[in-house]
Amino acid sequence: MRLANPFRTLLRRPSQGRRRWGDLAFRGIVTIGAGAVVGVLVAILWILWTGSSQSRAAFGLGIVTNPTWDITTNVFGLLPMIDGTLLTSAIALVLAVPIALGSSIFLTQLAPKALPSALKAALAQVVDLLAAIPSIVYGFWGLFVLVPYMRTTVDPGLRSAYDRLGNLVAPTVHAVSPGASAWAGTHSPFTGTIIGEDVLSASIVLAIMVIPTVAAISRDALAAVPIPQREAALALGATNWEATRRAVLPYARSGIFGASILGLGRALGETMAVTLVIGNGLAPPTSLFNSGSTLASLIATQFSESTGPLEYSVIIEAGLILLLITLGVNIVARAILWRFQSPGGAGGD
Amino acid sequence: MGARIRHGVNLTATVLAALTLVVVLIPLASILVTAFQRGEAALTSPGFFTESPANPCSPRAGTVCHYGGIAPALDGTLALVGLAALISVPIGLAAAIFVVEYGRDRPSARLITASADVLSGVPSIVAGLFIYTYMAANYPQIVFSALSGSLALSVLMIPIVTRTAEEALRTVPNSQREAAEALGITKWKATLRITLGAALPGIVTGVLLSVARAAGEAAPLLLTAFGNNLGFQGFTQPSDAIPLLVYDFATSPYQNWIALAWGAALTLIVIVLGLSILSRLVLARMARRLRGSA
Amino acid sequence: MDATKMAAVGLSASYGRGPAITDINLEFGPNSATAIIGPSGCGKSTFIRCLNRMHETAPRATVTGKVFLDGEDIYEQDPTAVRRRIGMVFQRPNPFATMTIFDNVAAALRFNGRHSREETDKIVYESLQAAALWEEVKDHLFAGATSLSGGQQQRLCIARALAAQPEVLLMDEPCSALDPISTAKVEDLIFTLKRTYTVIIVTHNMQQAARVADRTAFFYLGKLIEVNDTKEIFERPKEKLTEGYVSGRFG
């Protein structure tokens, strides 16, 4: 016999219909939220595409190879800004990747056993905190600390070092190839008046800003290398460094590459820090000591001074080009990282 | 290669790697020290958080320069980021719930995740340009308004909230959902009260990170909130924000304004680093709490 | 068997790659315990998960056939309503990690309709008593559920299922993650519970089936091979396969 249950009658159960409506409504709400994420992305592309129609009609694809920005004649070319964007980001990456990777290798592979792991974890967290500092603060610091230092010390030093090196190798180069010698003489990357607010300063600020991104992701990639890979090398009598170079780095290669590309994506779109230290010249830079612009700094500075609907439209097209470049770079980075994060895809193949 | 040489190479590599770590930390130290040295005077002057900026002034014999305060910018940042959070947190959370609780590896779920990833790579200035262009075409009277600013910040916050909430929901063991389902608890109640509850620390982390990011952004606000030195005047009017104040005053020629900008930069650093550290603590707590469950 | 509380008729289910169980016909009487035994992979867990419509929550899962509860097909009803009448206890204890002991037991009441505080307190007390856990937790009802030991967590999950006032209790290898002492406590509990509920328990442990079950069903390769009174199954199996399994020759 079933024992009497004194509480059975107390149970009030909602009707079936109400329950089904609750689930249906909830599902509808979260679907709308999910759709909004895709919607925003599509809307950005659509709004920038339509907003730049006047500019595209006036200049066509030639806008990306046109070096002139002249408001008096209403000619707007974006070559100097595309140049500036790619140049500063490329230099930033060349500076940042070795430093970021070095710090990650130290923290995950080479740090002496005597270093407590809590300290290593704390150092890693401090590196990550660098990523949280706002761009505007980097720019402010760059303008008041880095730029004066570049102007008084680094820039003159670089120029004289380049010249001395040039004088040293010039006879040899001239003997081998007079053409190359002449080219190098007129194409020094360190010509022009030293002002400090220039392409090189912008590149260095960018490098500082992307280091935490590259360091954090390459650290994850290094930490994801199975310990037996490293132990196998150590068991063969390899030193720590040899095990890192021969076993760990090849394994983490694609993750490190993805980290670098993601860093590049961040550098390309960086605005405030660059705007404050690059000098915002609108002519194509011919030297690292020239002022310049990036697509992002162009939008930030020219937007409020824009003279008419055509210039607005050109600025919107600059935004569209910047968006397409960064999205392309980010998608490549995600594809690489996704491969290394997915199980079995970790190996450097 | 001789053993001695090999160990020499090992030592050199280790020292070089350690040096790169030092190089990474130098800018951080320099930024913190500079902001503190140059911003401390303004930050600790009376009225820093309650007054408007003082009139421009450069020290001359016989005059005393006041800094004033950053009250309008502080109010503006609170309002802008607050509204942006109100917009982006529900959207991001809904998207994450869709992906993890309803999507489960379906193409639609992957599309949302990929979109959030791509969205997180959109440069902040482009987010501002997008909202400006949209508002100029549809609501030209309020192009430069706090509302525009909040919308632009939302574009940046949505992907952060979505991805972190998604990660947090994924860490909730499936056995928790099964337990709820077996009790006949409806899916929406189980999701809101049990799954979200278990994922809450991770979600809070995501919200804190997105707020930290938005609070420090100047670029999108240049094109939307625009700046306003009268204090916060509602969401249909232009609004100031701390990062905007830093940008405007850092490039001004007046020493008291530059000092005030350093004070504001220091405030920003404290807010943003504080939020980042707080979010890490919350995350560490979650890891501890979930370890106990099967 | 005098009456039928629950019955599977022509029940087949799959996970997308070939059938997991095929054409199962099985009846369960009221106030009794039925054990389902068989080697791993024989479909016994799939079967029990079809009985409260949990199987269909898995990706690409399919179910055909009927499952009757009190003469009505549960596959024609709202699944959440079905699951309230048919409680389930899982292999591994899965208390709600973020809730207290009390809240875990009260979960079904809180989520499925409104109850006064007195009602809730009373049902929680009754359920913990019924799950033989009350004495152990009465002084820290508001501690986190994960502070309990594995065996206590499993009894908490039983209490949680009982608080929903089910008519049938499904147990999917409820002792497989427990130590021998906790196992003995849960088995004692099942012995008591079957006086009140229709208990259906999946187990890979034949001694356990022999101890707690009135009837036992033997599954092999997704098919029901034999079902009979437990004593008969173990002492006089009719099928060669059953005999081989219960005598320990395979599985």
Side-chain angles (χ1 to χ4, degrees):
Chain A
M1 200 205 84
R2 189 188 157 84
L3 292 186
N5 187 330
F7 315 116
R8 172 150 297 284
T9 51
L10 296 176
L11 288 173
R12 284 187 287 273
R13 301 172 191 274
S15 75
Q16 220 166 293
R18 234 179 70 204
R19 224 177 294 128
R20 204 166 281 153
W21 279 114
D23 268 342
L24 222 56
F26 186 67
R27 200 190 168 119
I29 289 168
V30 298
T31 309
I32 291 169
V37 174
V38 186
V40 169
L41 189 59
V42 174
I44 293 175
L45 286 163
W46 175 247
I47 295 281
L48 295 186
W49 177 257
T50 52
S52 61
S53 59
Q54 196 181 350
S55 163
R56 282 182 287 113
F59 303 110
L61 280 177
I63 197 167
V64 299
T65 52
N66 184 348
T68 313
W69 183 282
D70 186 353
I71 51 168
T72 56
T73 55
N74 259 345
V75 172
F76 303 106
L78 292 175
L79 180 67
M81 298 82 198
I82 294 173
D83 246 20
T85 305
L86 299 181
L87 185 63
T88 51
S89 294
I91 297 173
L93 210 61
V94 167
L95 295 174
V97 169
I99 293 173
L101 187 57
S103 71
S104 299
I105 289 176
F106 180 75
L107 286 175
T108 59
Q109 310 290 328
L110 298 182
K113 290 271 173 294
L115 212 61
S117 58
L119 179 63
K120 280 191 279 182
L123 283 170
Q125 301 258 310
V126 169
V127 175
D128 290 353
L129 280 186
L130 269 165
I133 294 179
S135 158
I136 183 77
V137 174
Y138 278 105
F140 199 2
W141 173 84
L143 186 59
F144 280 79
V145 178
L146 182 70
V147 164
Y149 185 67
M150 297 294 288
R151 185 166 50 223
T152 56
T153 312
V154 178
D155 291 358
L158 276 173
R159 177 178 285 173
S160 68
Y162 183 85
D163 290 347
R164 239 180 291 158
L165 187 71
N167 289 338
L168 212 63
V169 299
T172 326
V173 174
H174 189 80
V176 175
S177 158
S181 165
W183 187 89
T186 54
H187 285 81
S188 163
F190 304 117
T191 56
T193 316
I194 291 173
I195 46 177
E197 293 175 41
D198 56 31
V199 171
L200 185 62
S201 297
S203 306
I204 290 175
V205 171
L206 280 179
I208 294 170
M209 294 182 70
V210 300
I211 280 174
T213 306
V214 180
I217 300 171
S218 61
R219 200 169 59 229
D220 288 348
L222 290 171
V225 176
I227 291 168
Q229 291 285 317
R230 182 180 151 78
E231 286 180 339
L234 291 176
L236 291 175
T239 62
N240 262 339
W241 166 244
E242 287 162 351
T244 303
R245 201 166 79 92
R246 304 265 177 224
V248 176
L249 284 182
Y251 201 97
R253 195 175 49 190
S254 63
I256 293 165
F257 189 60
S260 310
I261 304 289
L262 213 59
L264 178 64
R266 181 161 184 208
L268 289 167
E270 191 45 62
T271 309
M272 300 316 293
V274 172
T275 303
L276 281 165
V277 300
I278 201 170
N280 298 309
L282 293 171
T286 54
S287 143
L288 295 180
F289 294 165
N290 286 161
S291 73
S293 283
T294 64
L295 289 165
S297 75
L298 174 87
I299 301 168
T301 55
Q302 294 307 302
F303 181 82
S304 55
E305 293 161 19
S306 146
T307 49
L310 181 62
E311 195 182 351
Y312 266 126
S313 187
V314 171
I315 288 171
I316 292 168
E317 186 171 354
L320 181 66
I321 293 170
L322 174 61
L323 180 67
L324 293 178
I325 296 174
T326 50
L327 290 197
V329 166
N330 271 302
I331 288 169
V332 169
R334 296 284 176 197
I336 294 167
L337 287 174
W338 181 78
R339 229 173 47 120
F340 114 83
Q341 278 160 350
S342 62
D349 38 11
Chain B
M1 210 169 16
R4 241 159 104 201
I5 297 175
R6 287 173 55 195
H7 283 105
V9 170
N10 188 44
L11 186 67
T12 313
T14 307
V15 170
L16 281 176
L19 276 178
T20 61
L21 181 61
V22 174
V23 170
V24 171
L25 297 177
I26 286 173
L28 180 67
S30 174
I31 288 169
L32 294 180
V33 168
T34 310
F36 187 78
Q37 280 177 345
R38 304 193 185 192
E40 191 223 350
L43 186 67
T44 52
S45 70
F48 181 75
F49 294 108
T50 52
E51 287 172 17
S52 292
N55 289 327
C57 164
S58 285
R60 257 169 289 143
T63 60
V64 178
C65 281
H66 296 286
Y67 302 114
I70 60 165
L74 185 63
D75 291 349
T77 285
L78 291 177
L80 287 165
V81 176
L83 180 62
L86 283 179
I87 297 169
S88 54
V89 171
I91 292 178
L93 217 49
I97 290 173
F98 178 87
V99 168
V100 181
E101 305 299 324
Y102 289 93
R104 287 274 163 184
D105 295 328
R106 266 189 232 134
S108 58
R110 275 195 227 124
L111 174 72
I112 310 298
T113 303
S115 297
D117 267 347
V118 171
L119 208 53
S120 69
V122 171
S124 62
I125 187 89
V126 172
L129 191 62
F130 157 59
I131 295 297
Y132 168 84
T133 311
Y134 174 76
M135 296 300 272
N138 296 287
Y139 308 99
Q141 306 86 351
I142 54 165
V143 172
F144 295 116
S145 65
L147 178 65
S148 293
S150 291
L151 288 174
L153 294 181
S154 307
V155 173
L156 305 175
M157 292 170 77
I158 285 171
I160 303 176
V161 176
T162 306
R163 294 299 274 118
T164 47
E166 199 187 311
E167 295 300 324
L169 287 173
R170 281 189 204 283
T171 63
V172 178
N174 231 347
S175 63
Q176 301 282 300
R177 297 181 183 88
E178 273 198 328
E181 236 162 338
L183 287 176
I185 298 171
T186 52
K187 177 124 186 162
W188 71 280
K189 277 189 191 165
T191 303
L192 280 182
R193 305 259 302 264
I194 291 167
T195 316
L196 273 190
L200 197 61
I203 292 167
V204 170
T205 302
V207 172
L208 289 176
L209 284 177
S210 71
V211 166
R213 165 93 196 267
E217 277 294 347
L221 300 183
L222 281 175
L223 281 56
T224 52
F226 196 71
N228 172 352
N229 51 19
L230 298 173
F232 186 74
Q233 295 177 307
F235 281 101
T236 56
Q237 296 297 312
S239 168
D240 207 358
I242 300 177
L244 282 179
L245 180 143
V246 174
Y247 179 61
D248 288 342
F249 285 13
T251 49
S252 80
Y254 310 110
Q255 293 199 1
N256 65 330
W257 277 13
I258 292 172
L260 190 68
W262 279 113
L266 187 56
T267 312
L268 212 51
I269 291 173
V270 170
I271 293 174
V272 167
L273 289 192
L275 285 171
S276 297
I277 292 169
L278 188 66
S279 71
R280 272 157 221 273
L281 293 180
V282 173
L283 209 61
R285 247 196 74 153
M286 174 174 79
R288 262 208 313 278
R289 194 163 70 159
L290 278 179
R291 215 173 293 145
S293 72
Chain C
M1 200 164 62
D2 48 352
T4 300
K5 177 69 186 172
M6 201 171 186
V9 177
L11 190 69
S12 298
S14 77
Y15 282 104
R17 308 175 309 256
I21 53 170
T22 323
D23 194 28
I24 306 289
N25 293 287
L26 193 52
E27 295 187 356
F28 305 96
N31 311 330
S32 68
T34 306
I36 296 169
I37 60 168
S40 42
C42 70
K44 54 192 193 291
S45 281
T46 307
F47 173 68
I48 201 175
R49 289 171 69 91
C50 288
L51 296 182
N52 69 339
R53 302 191 59 173
M54 284 297 285
H55 172 68
E56 68 204 51
T57 61
R60 287 182 293 281
T62 63
V63 185
T64 58
K66 291 178 192 300
V67 175
F68 292 102
L69 179 65
D70 289 336
E72 285 173 55
D73 186 1
I74 62 168
Y75 280 88
E76 312 244 306
Q77 299 167 31
D78 177 57
T80 56
V82 165
R83 291 181 197 134
R84 283 173 212 175
R85 297 176 62 194
I86 306 173
M88 185 169 214
V89 177
F90 296 83
Q91 279 190 29
R92 306 185 64 83
N94 57 353
F96 295 125
T98 53
M99 293 186 190
T100 64
I101 293 168
F102 183 94
D103 288 345
N104 260 280
V105 182
L109 307 176
R110 298 240 169 97
F111 290 105
N112 302 335
R114 283 182 199 82
H115 298 272
S116 74
R117 178 174 297 200
E118 290 74 31
E119 283 165 26
T120 306
D121 286 354
K122 212 168 169 191
I123 295 173
V124 168
Y125 168 75
E126 282 279 336
S127 306
L128 283 169
Q129 281 281 12
L133 191 60
W134 174 257
E135 288 302 322
E136 290 162 60
V137 301
K138 65 179 179 192
D139 295 326
H140 43 271
L141 284 173
F142 298 99
T146 50
S147 65
L148 298 175
S149 73
Q152 289 174 323
Q153 286 189 15
Q154 191 64 307
R155 278 179 284 146
L156 178 66
C157 292
I158 295 173
R160 182 178 64 188
L162 296 182
Q165 315 283 312
E167 299 155 41
V168 178
L169 195 59
L170 307 178
M171 306 181 109
D172 186 2
E173 304 200 26
C175 302
S176 65
L178 303 185
D179 61 84
I181 294 171
S182 304
T183 300
K185 285 189 178 175
V186 172
E187 283 181 7
D188 284 348
L189 180 56
I190 297 168
F191 212 83
T192 318
L193 291 173
K194 74 179 184 188
R195 278 184 266 159
T196 323
Y197 301 91
T198 301
V199 177
I200 303 169
I201 177 171
V202 164
T203 179
H204 58 259
N205 178 337
M206 282 180 279
Q207 288 74 29
Q208 185 168 65
R211 280 192 294 267
V212 302
D214 305 300
R215 286 169 68 77
T216 296
F218 173 62
F219 275 52
Y220 185 69
L221 293 179
K223 290 198 167 71
L224 171 64
I225 305 298
E226 184 174 356
V227 59
N228 210 333
D229 287 348
T230 300
K231 215 169 145 61
E232 294 290 311
I233 286 280
F234 285 105
E235 291 174 7
R236 285 178 290 281
K238 293 195 177 67
E239 300 288 331
K240 267 268 179 291
L241 275 170
T242 316
E243 189 187 347
Y245 183 69
V246 300
S247 61
R249 259 177 272 147
F250 72 93

